[in-house]
């Protein structure tokens, strides 16, 4: 139990009155009935304990005071085993009680009817020798100026981590590391409090500092648990909401105050303390989780709405977002949302890509349970949740991970390997087993604790190559003389294998911009390069994104010279399991919004955007669209104010300019989900056939998509601003008629309404190498989808 106190008393204290009446001598008390490790049910924290029998007078007593060496190490924060000194210990002459309580006026031991005030040894040390045969159950009354604090003694407890935890941590194989390290409210040996544990193998000493001791950790030294590098302390009486950090004494004797790398909650930035927390959320997404793994993601509909939560509707909390976001995304028909990084980060302008709190959802929008509430609401609306995950690097803030315990720990010890050349950050040391464990467990943590359905892994290319953005002489080849980062390869393989084994139905997605072989190949299968697959479920198709946007940026009269930019993706379309990403990266930093990339006047820009979206949704691969692009926002995205929602207001007077594009996105998703040919064989070449891929002069692309039963969908994209009448296309002969199911030129989308309301019947005229053909009127700057009538 804690309460506020004056600064002169650096612990929160609770007023306590001494019991009246004459003290009983030990001879008058019954012998104690004490178990080594009583449970909460056996020995309540407040229950009085009888005093043990006295020690025979013949024994020679020793001084109970802390010796000079231990005293010095405790004062300077360099003691590796304070529990061996502080607390209660059997010694010749009885039981020695030692307490280290800086700023205390007095310390009294209370055990049942026994009360004994300890001697003040100076500098916050108190000691006393009681003539007892066994260490009793006891509490401390610590008097400060103006109040008295009653508490169990933190140094009377066994370690809260067991041998199995320590073994797994030492091996780098603790897949639920967050349950062992960090801060956890708990009941230990029948007493409620918070257990703290941190990995700091290079530290000379570690202490817990927090709101409960005015961030002066002097009186709360932690103990080192063997060779694992883990330091641990159970602090009785502490609960949820307490702020804390770890005060680390470096090898050179200097001290640094660090946030907990495993903190599951943080203060709201720019404040940097960790927060003791426990989850109380009751999940309601059992039905979602039960069917999530029914169908492999690469064989299922997967259209993603990418969101930056702080700016989607600026000012909304997680719980307020849960009232609006699921309904909006469900109305538009997206199957998933992808959240830009949610993990805590100090600088909002990084959009979350420079993480300091890998285990904590950003406190800017609420608590961890509030974030769970949002995920739960999305699941109950039938929407999956993908989260951007950033294991490639971390910022250099001196209160976070950089040289955490005085030496490179999470980062590589080689400065050339540690410093990221592009972002001014530090790269993780993927070759260190504890660092790999920290990251692999983090991936599992988000999936298991927050029910996340997928992780989109950021900046994979920067992890895979030792020479990424580095000049000759700035990098060292691997043991085989190559440029591949073998440690990063092993880490990614371990992460993917672990996540897929532990979390059925979860997908991992790689943002990987190179031609690395086997990004989505299983880890146990080797490719031509000799490496096993990285094991991702999906990979962003950065080549398709770059080429297709390059094509669309050209004036239509010049597109004939760039036709290959729209067809080249089919050369490698089945080399990986692809996502087609129009992400936040494409609509910032002067790249312009998606609609603004299109040439021509406003009508042509909107028509070009609609045609492009129709082509994208029909192309093999999954879809991803960044917020604001679904209604043709003309301005670049800004994290300061988010999408220009006012463009959708009917009072704006733009008729269907923006609302029409949003209606098209809704219909694209609806037809997409209802047409297995558009997603079932995304990774199988038998699901695609060109009708015409070389009509460069006409700016026309036409192809068929097939489902597993052989049912076709015909997609025709026309990227010229003219109407083409009676445009002949070869088609399969076994389809009696074709029905238009989507036309991006429809009037309700803001187009010219050049549509095909009636079924289109094939003619027995061979064309494009096929025995039958149809004649269509191609709308200007439009994509048309047709299915068998």
């Amino acid at each position: 139990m804690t309460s506020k106190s004056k600064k002169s008393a650096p612990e929160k204290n609770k007023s306590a009155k001494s019991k009246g009446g004459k003290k009983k001598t030990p001879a008058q008390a019954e012998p104690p009935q004490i178990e080594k490790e009583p449970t909460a049910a056996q020995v309540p924290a407040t229950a009085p304990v009888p005093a043990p029998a006295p020690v025979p007078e013949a024994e020679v007593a020793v001084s109970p005071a802390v010796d000079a060496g231990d005293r010095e190490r405790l004062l300077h924060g360099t003691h590796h085993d304070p529990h061996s000194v502080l607390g209660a210990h059997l010694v010749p002459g009885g039981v020695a009680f030692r307490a280290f309580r800086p700023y205390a006026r007095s310390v009294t031991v209370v055990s049942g009817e026994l009360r004994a005030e300890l001697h003040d040894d100076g500098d916050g040390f108190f000691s006393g020798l009681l003539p007892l045969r066994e260490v009793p159950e006891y509490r401390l009354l610590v008097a400060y100026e103006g109040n008295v604090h009653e508490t169990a003694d933190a140094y009377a407890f066994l370690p809260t981590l067991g041998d199995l935890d320590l073994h797994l941590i030492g091996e780098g194989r603790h897949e639920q590391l967050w349950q062992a390290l960090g801060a956890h409210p708990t009941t230990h040996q029948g007493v409620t409090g918070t257990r703290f544990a941190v990995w700091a193998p290079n530290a000379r000493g570690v202490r817990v500092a927090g709101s409960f001791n005015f961030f002066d950790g002097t009186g709360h030294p932690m103990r080192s648990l063997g060779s694992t590098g883990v330091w641990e302390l159970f602090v009785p009486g502490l609960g949820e909401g307490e702020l804390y950090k770890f005060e680390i004494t470096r090898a050179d004797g200097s001290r640094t105050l660090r946030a907990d790398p495993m903190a599951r909650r943080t203060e709201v930035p720019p404040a940097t303390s960790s927060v003791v927390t426990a989850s109380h959320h009751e999940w309601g997404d059992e039905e979602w989780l039960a069917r999530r793994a029914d169908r492999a993601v690469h064989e299922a509909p997967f259209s993603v709405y990418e969101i930056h939560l702080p700016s989607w509707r600026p000012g909304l909390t997680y719980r307020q977002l849960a009232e609006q976001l699921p309904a909006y995304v469900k109305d538009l028909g997206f199957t998933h949302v992808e959240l830009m990084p949610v993990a805590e980060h100090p600088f909002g302008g990084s959009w979350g890509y420079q993480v300091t709190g890998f285990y904590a959802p950003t406190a800017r929008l609420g608590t961890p349970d509030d974030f769970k509430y949002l995920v739960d609401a999305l699941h109950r609306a039938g929407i999956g949740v993908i989260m951007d995950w950033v294991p490639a690097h971390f910022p250099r803030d001196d209160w976070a991970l950089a040289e955490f315990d005085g030496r490179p720990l999470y980062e590589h010890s080689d400065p050339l390997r540690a410093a990221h050349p592009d972002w001014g950050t530090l790269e993780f040391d993927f070759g260190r087993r504890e660092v790999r464990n920290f990251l692999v467990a983090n991936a599992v943590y988000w999936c298991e604790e927050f029910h996340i359905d997928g992780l989109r892994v950021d900046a994979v290319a920067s992890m895979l190559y030792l020479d990424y953005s580095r000049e000759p002489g700035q990098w060292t080849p691997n043991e085989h003389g190559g440029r591949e980062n073998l440690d990063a390869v092993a880490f990614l393989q371990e992460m993917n294998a672990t996540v897929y084994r532990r979390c059925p139905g979860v997908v991992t997605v790689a943002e990987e911009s190179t031609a690395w072989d086997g990004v989505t190949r299983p880890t146990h299968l080797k490719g031509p390069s000799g490496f096993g697959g990285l094991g991702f479920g999906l990979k962003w198709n950065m080549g398709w994104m770059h080429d297709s946007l390059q094509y669309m940026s050209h004036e239509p009269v010049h597109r004939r010279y760039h036709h290959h930019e729209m067809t080249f993706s089919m050369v490698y379309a089945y080399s990986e399991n692809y996502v087609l990403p129009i992400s936040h990266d494409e609509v910032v930093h002067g790249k312009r919004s998606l609609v603004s990339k299109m040439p021509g006047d406003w009508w042509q820009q909107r028509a070009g955007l609609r045609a492009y979206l129709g082509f994208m949704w029909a192309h093999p691969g999954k879809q991803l669209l960044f917020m604001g692009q679904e209604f043709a926002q003309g301005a670049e995205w800004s994290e300061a104010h988010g999408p220009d929602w006012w463009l959708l207001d009917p009072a704006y007077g733009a008729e269907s300019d923006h609302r029409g594009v949003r209606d098209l996105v809704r219909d694209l998703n609806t037809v997409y989900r209802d047409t297995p040919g558009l997603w079932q064989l995304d990774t199988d070449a038998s699901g695609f056939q060109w009708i015409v891929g070389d009509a460069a002069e006409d700016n026309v692309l036409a192809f068929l998509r097939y489902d597993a039963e052989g049912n076709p969908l015909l997609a025709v994209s026309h990227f010229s601003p003219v109407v083409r009448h009676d445009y002949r296309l070869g088609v399969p002969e076994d389809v009696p008629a074709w029905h238009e199911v989507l036309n991006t030129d429809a009037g309700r989308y803001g187009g010219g309404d050049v549509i095909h309301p009636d079924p289109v019947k094939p003619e027995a005229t061979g064309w494009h190498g096929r025995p039958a053909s149809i004649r269509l009127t191609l709308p200007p700057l439009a994509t048309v989808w047709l299915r068998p009538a």
Side-chain angles (χ1 to χ4, degrees):
M1 307 288 258
T2 59
S3 62
K4 293 184 179 178
S5 63
K6 297 180 181 179
K7 190 170 183 180
S8 61
E11 292 187 279
K12 296 179 178 179
N13 301 309
K14 179 181 178 182
S15 297
K17 295 181 180 179
S18 301
K19 294 182 179 178
K22 185 178 180 181
K23 296 180 182 178
K24 290 185 180 180
T25 66
Q28 294 173 306
E30 294 292 327
Q33 301 296 323
I34 303 173
E35 294 182 11
K36 290 184 177 180
E37 229 178 311
T39 65
Q42 292 170 329
V43 182
T46 57
V49 179
V55 175
E57 295 180 1
E59 280 196 18
V60 178
V62 298
S63 171
V66 176
D67 68 36
D70 287 323
R71 184 184 180 110
E72 187 73 9
R73 288 193 292 273
L74 287 167
L75 284 170
H76 288 87
T78 59
H79 207 296
H80 74 285
D81 190 12
H83 293 70
S84 67
V85 178
L86 304 176
H89 301 272
L90 277 172
V91 297
V95 175
F97 290 86
R98 307 185 189 101
F100 184 31
R101 295 283 173 158
Y103 310 107
R105 296 296 182 89
S106 66
V107 176
T108 301
V109 173
V110 178
S111 179
E113 297 295 323
L114 175 65
R115 299 171 62 87
E117 183 172 334
L118 302 182
H119 181 264
D120 186 347
D121 299 328
D123 293 329
F125 289 94
F126 298 84
S127 67
L129 180 64
L130 300 185
L132 307 173
R133 290 184 179 276
E134 295 178 337
V135 175
E137 294 287 331
Y138 69 96
R139 296 174 68 81
L140 299 177
L141 289 180
V142 185
Y144 295 97
E145 183 180 354
N147 52 43
V148 177
H149 178 53
E150 181 178 351
T151 179
D153 186 356
Y155 298 93
F157 293 91
L158 296 171
T160 55
L161 293 181
D163 290 341
L164 179 58
D165 282 321
L166 295 175
H167 172 76
L168 292 174
I169 291 170
E171 292 288 321
R173 299 288 180 183
H174 203 307
E175 295 176 358
Q176 292 181 304
L177 187 65
W178 68 92
Q179 295 186 0
L181 302 182
H184 295 266
T186 188
T187 299
H188 182 49
Q189 295 178 221
V191 177
T192 58
T194 296
R195 58 182 177 89
F196 296 91
V198 63
W199 179 59
N202 299 310
R204 292 180 60 190
V206 183
R207 304 188 284 203
V208 182
S211 51
F212 53 92
N213 59 17
F214 289 91
F215 283 93
D216 180 350
T218 306
H220 287 88
M222 305 177 76
R223 62 179 150 205
S224 174
L225 298 179
S227 61
T228 60
V230 173
W231 299 75
E232 179 268 354
L233 180 66
F234 174 73
V235 181
L238 291 190
E240 296 179 54
E242 295 283 1
L243 307 182
Y244 72 98
K245 285 187 176 181
F246 294 114
E247 186 182 281
I248 297 172
T249 303
R250 303 181 178 104
D252 63 0
S254 63
R255 286 193 286 272
T256 179
L257 201 59
R258 298 292 177 132
D260 182 1
M262 303 293 298
R264 293 168 295 126
R265 183 181 173 190
T266 70
E267 285 189 286
V268 178
T272 59
S273 291
S274 305
V275 183
V276 176
T277 189
S279 179
H280 303 285
H281 179 73
E282 295 183 5
W283 289 95
D285 62 350
E286 296 83 2
E287 182 180 349
W288 170 268
L289 294 181
R291 61 182 176 82
R292 183 177 66 180
D294 288 348
R295 186 163 50 190
V297 170
H298 66 278
E299 296 174 346
F302 189 88
S303 61
V304 183
Y305 184 60
E306 187 190 21
I307 305 167
H308 179 251
L309 282 178
S311 69
W312 185 73
R313 296 277 191 180
L316 296 190
T317 65
Y318 291 127
R319 289 184 179 268
Q320 290 169 334
L321 284 163
E323 302 304 316
Q324 298 187 30
L325 183 60
Y328 182 80
V329 176
K330 185 174 183 177
D331 175 66
L332 288 183
F334 287 97
T335 66
H336 290 73
V337 294
E338 180 178 314
L339 309 180
M340 290 169 67
V342 173
E344 193 60 270
H345 50 283
F347 177 47
S350 75
W351 312 329
Y353 289 98
Q354 295 196 6
V355 179
T356 49
F358 281 80
Y359 284 79
T362 179
R364 293 170 174 86
L365 307 182
T367 69
D369 272 1
D370 293 339
F371 180 57
K372 289 181 179 181
Y373 183 87
L374 171 59
V375 175
D376 208 350
L378 287 162
H379 283 172
R380 286 185 278 110
I383 299 161
V385 181
I386 312 296
M387 188 186 82
D388 277 14
W389 186 54
V390 192
H393 63 123
F394 57 91
R396 296 174 179 266
D397 300 74
D398 60 7
W399 51 268
L401 295 182
E403 294 191 351
F404 180 74
D405 58 3
R407 295 176 182 172
L409 187 66
Y410 290 92
E411 67 271 39
H412 204 283
S413 58
D414 180 353
L416 292 179
R417 292 281 296 272
H420 196 289
D422 290 341
W423 304 316
T425 53
L426 296 170
E427 297 184 9
F428 281 102
D429 181 359
F430 302 111
R432 184 159 190 166
R433 61 181 181 271
E434 297 95 341
V435 174
R436 285 203 311 271
N437 193 170
F438 173 80
L439 293 171
V440 171
N442 187 242
V444 174
Y445 168 76
W446 289 105
C447 298
E448 290 189 354
E449 294 291 323
F450 291 90
H451 294 195
I452 295 296
D453 303 294
L455 299 172
R456 177 268 195 184
V457 183
D458 183 64
V460 171
S462 74
M463 301 164 65
L464 290 175
Y465 297 98
L466 295 169
D467 63 344
Y468 185 87
S469 288
R470 292 178 171 91
E471 300 297 327
Q474 295 181 334
W475 63 281
T476 304
N478 62 36
E479 61 194 60
H480 305 297
R483 56 197 283 256
E484 300 86 4
N485 186 337
L486 303 181
D487 293 334
V489 171
F491 156 67
L492 291 171
Q493 291 173 328
E494 180 182 348
M495 181 277 296
N496 281 314
T498 304
V499 167
Y500 278 102
R501 172 170 49 83
R502 293 187 63 101
C503 310
V506 166
V507 63
T508 59
V509 186
E511 186 216 14
E512 205 283 312
S513 56
T514 73
W516 183 279
D517 177 56
V519 173
T520 57
R521 184 187 300 123
T523 57
H524 65 281
L525 297 179
K526 290 188 177 182
S529 64
F531 291 104
L534 295 183
F536 285 94
L538 298 168
K539 171 183 173 175
W540 274 20
N541 193 334
M542 310 296 282
W544 173 89
M545 176 274 299
H546 178 272
D547 289 346
S548 62
L549 290 181
Q550 185 71 19
Y551 174 87
M552 294 304 298
S553 69
H554 296 298
E555 291 286 347
V557 69
H558 300 306
R559 285 174 177 166
R560 69 184 69 182
Y561 306 112
H562 300 273
H563 197 74
H564 64 282
E565 293 173 348
M566 292 295 263
T567 60
F568 181 68
S569 59
M570 290 310 303
V571 173
Y572 59 88
Y574 303 103
S575 61
E576 302 279 4
N577 304 338
Y578 282 118
V579 175
L580 310 180
I582 301 299
S583 73
H584 65 278
D585 279 330
E586 311 317 315
V587 295
V588 291
H589 299 322
K591 294 181 181 178
R592 298 174 295 172
S593 70
L594 188 56
V595 71
S596 298
K597 297 177 191 290
M598 308 295 160
D601 59 21
W602 177 232
W603 190 95
Q604 289 185 348
Q605 285 183 313
R606 286 185 294 119
L609 171 61
R610 294 194 303 267
Y612 180 72
L613 292 175
F615 170 76
M616 173 182 173
W617 253 253
H619 191 284
K622 311 307 181 183
Q623 288 73 40
L624 180 142
L625 193 64
F626 183 59
M627 64 182 195
Q629 312 316 301
E630 78 273 18
F631 59 83
Q633 174 172 317
E636 284 191 344
W637 167 62
S638 164
E639 79 276 4
H641 65 260
D644 292 333
W645 295 109
W646 58 274
L647 294 172
L648 295 169
D649 189 343
Y652 171 59
E655 298 179 349
S656 61
D657 277 12
H658 299 279
R659 285 176 281 123
V661 174
R662 188 178 64 174
D663 291 343
L664 169 64
V665 170
R666 181 188 298 110
D667 289 351
L668 283 169
N669 278 323
T670 300
V671 178
Y672 169 79
R673 295 179 72 161
D674 293 340
T675 308
L678 290 174
W679 43 262
Q680 197 172 52
L681 299 178
D682 267 334
T683 60
D684 188 331
S686 66
F688 177 92
Q689 288 181 11
W690 279 114
I691 296 295
V692 55
D694 59 357
E697 295 296 319
D698 301 329
N699 295 348
V700 170
L701 297 158
F703 51 84
L704 295 165
R705 296 295 309 277
Y706 287 96
D707 63 21
E709 304 300 322
N711 300 307
L713 177 137
L714 173 61
V716 185
S717 292
H718 177 218
F719 294 111
S720 287
V722 296
V723 178
R724 297 191 188 277
H725 296 280
D726 293 329
Y727 196 86
R728 190 176 293 275
L729 295 167
V731 293
E733 61 180 338
D734 57 347
V735 178
W738 295 84
H739 172 64
E740 184 177 275
V741 293
L742 187 135
N743 187 326
T744 65
D745 191 55
R748 64 182 180 278
Y749 306 141
D753 218 24
V754 179
I755 60 175
H756 305 88
D758 301 320
V760 180
K761 295 183 178 181
E763 301 174 3
T765 302
W767 210 257
H768 295 138
R770 297 178 181 273
S773 59
I774 58 175
R775 289 183 295 166
L776 295 176
T777 297
L778 299 186
L781 297 173
T783 292
V784 178
W785 292 356
L786 302 102
R787 285 194 307 219

